Amino acid sequence: SQELEQSPQSLIVQEGKNLTINCTSSKTLYGLYWYKQKYGEGLIFLMMLQKGGEEKSHEKITAKLDEKKQQSSLHITASQPSHAGIYLCGAGRGGGADGLTFGKGTHLIIQP
Amino acid sequence: GAGVSQSPSNKVTEKGKDVELRCDPISGHTALYWYRQSLGQGLEFLIYFQGNSAPDKSGLPSDRFSAERTGGSVSTLTIQRTQQEDSAVYLCASSLWAQGEQYFGPGTRLTVT
């Protein structure tokens, strides 16, 4: 089955600084999803990447998919307190199965 | 428009009791998923419904867990004879089609005492 490893597990960043979160898959990635979760709440969809080399941006968040490395990165520019939360990457379970496998998440704290 | 809704938001039950968790997907979404989120295991897939097709139950942890989806819309996840290890947040998600982006509900926090 697909396994996703996220790094770092937690990150403390000063407000205004840039940061990157990585998600590495144990198997070929056919699609990669990024979600954000506020503590005690549901998941908020951020972006879906489907093709190797694909890059998407929304406001100050950019995600890239590197199929060869079986890896995706999420980059936040000029971080703000509103960026704090848990970032989760998800990918198809593989073998034609539906539903997603998720990484354990990266806890992001923004210090003022 | 309305997002995915789940009820109840919190449920405390005694070990051995049965519980039912409800999910209302986004209108028009054909695919519906149940996940479980716990501290030790992270976010795990439980079951998937696509339209009127037979569900993919491959993620259900035991035969105490079952789910149904009536009329291709509302879904109920039932846990029989609850155990303490069932304590977790149960999340429901829906998507327009099978490989589309999934939109999650706020979850039901289940505590088994």
Side-chain angles (χ1 to χ4, degrees), chain A residues 33 35 37 39-45 47-48 50 86 88 93 96-104 107, chain B residues 33 35 37 40-45 48 56 58-59 91 97-107 109:
Chain A
Y33 303 76
Y35 287 85
Q37 185 175 31
Y39 296 101
E41 298 179 12
L43 278 66
I44 300 168
F45 172 78
M47 276 172 275
M48 178 172 70
Q50 291 184 297
I86 303 169
L88 293 146
R93 292 189 298 137
D98 292 291
L100 299 177
T101 294
F102 285 89
K104 296 277 195 235
H107 294 241
Chain B
Y33 309 79
Y35 294 87
Q37 187 173 35
Q41 299 299 322
L43 192 56
E44 306 170 277
F45 166 82
Y48 159 71
D56 176 353
S58 58
L91 293 162
W97 60 82
Q99 278 77 47
E101 55 263 35
Q102 296 177 28
Y103 294 90
F104 282 77
R109 182 175 295 279

Side-chain angles (χ1 to χ4, degrees), chain B residues 9-98:
Chain B
S9 54
N10 280 285
K11 177 72 177 179
V12 180
T13 190
E14 291 180 354
K15 178 181 172 181
K17 300 282 188 184
D18 297 352
V19 294
E20 283 189 353
L21 312 179
R22 178 189 167 104
C23 171
D24 274 283
I26 293 173
S27 178
H29 280 195
T30 62
L32 186 147
Y33 309 79
W34 282 98
Y35 294 87
R36 177 170 72 173
Q37 187 173 35
S38 58
L39 279 175
Q41 299 299 322
L43 192 56
E44 306 170 277
F45 166 82
L46 295 177
I47 189 169
Y48 159 71
F49 294 90
Q50 173 61 47
N52 296 321
S53 302
D56 176 353
K57 306 178 185 179
S58 58
L60 294 179
S62 79
D63 57 10
R64 296 185 296 105
F65 288 72
S66 63
E68 61 178 20
R69 189 178 184 191
T70 53
S73 181
V74 172
S75 177
T76 303
L77 177 70
T78 301
I79 308 173
Q80 295 178 309
R81 306 180 302 281
T82 52
Q83 304 294 312
Q84 287 188 329
E85 61 263 27
D86 299 335
S87 295
V89 176
Y90 288 82
L91 293 162
C92 174
S94 70
S95 63
L96 200 52
W97 60 82

